[in-house]
Amino acid sequence: MQELKNYADESLWKALENFEDREFTAEEELDDGSRISVRISRTDELLINFEGTSPVHPRNLNANRAIVTSVTLYVLRLIAGEEIPLNEGM
């Protein structure tokens, strides 16, 4: 299991080599004006910051921690461009 975690970790960092010392931002607005904001930066670690996102929505449009984690892992796997095993190495 540790080897699979190491493989996932190494594969992801290899894919992120071109992102070093860069910052990316994105913002989307829902139909009702609620904002989803993200800032991604990489130095010696990867920081994914959702600051600027609207507060808890009064209706059924919220994403819990599991959904945010799932979406984040999905994007990282797309960036990696290969089938990295989903585990704590990611």
Side-chain angles (χ1 to χ4, degrees):
M1 286 307 294
Q2 188 60 48
E3 289 298 318
L4 282 174
K5 288 180 187 179
N6 291 345
Y7 174 74
D9 179 68
E10 292 166 10
S11 297
L12 180 59
W13 282 109
K14 182 179 177 186
L16 294 172
E17 284 177 352
N18 295 331
F19 294 89
E20 190 167 12
D21 296 324
R22 296 175 67 191
E23 183 173 284
F24 302 90
T25 60
E27 187 169 290
E28 289 291 330
E29 194 171 290
L30 302 178
D31 290 343
D32 70 352
S34 297
R35 254 187 346 267
I36 301 173
S37 299
V38 65
R39 184 175 70 240
I40 302 171
S41 58
R42 179 185 175 244
T43 53
D44 57 340
E45 65 181 1
L46 186 65
L47 176 64
I48 302 171
N49 185 337
F50 292 95
E51 188 174 318
T53 296
S54 294
V56 173
H57 198 275
R59 292 181 291 284
N60 190 23
L61 292 175
N62 296 296
N64 63 30
R65 183 180 300 257
I67 292 169
V68 174
T69 299
S70 176
V71 168
T72 302
L73 287 172
Y74 177 76
V75 170
L76 292 174
R77 290 183 81 200
L78 289 175
I79 290 169
E82 65 177 279
E83 292 293 322
I84 296 176
L86 285 175
N87 60 44
E88 291 176 357
M90 288 282 296

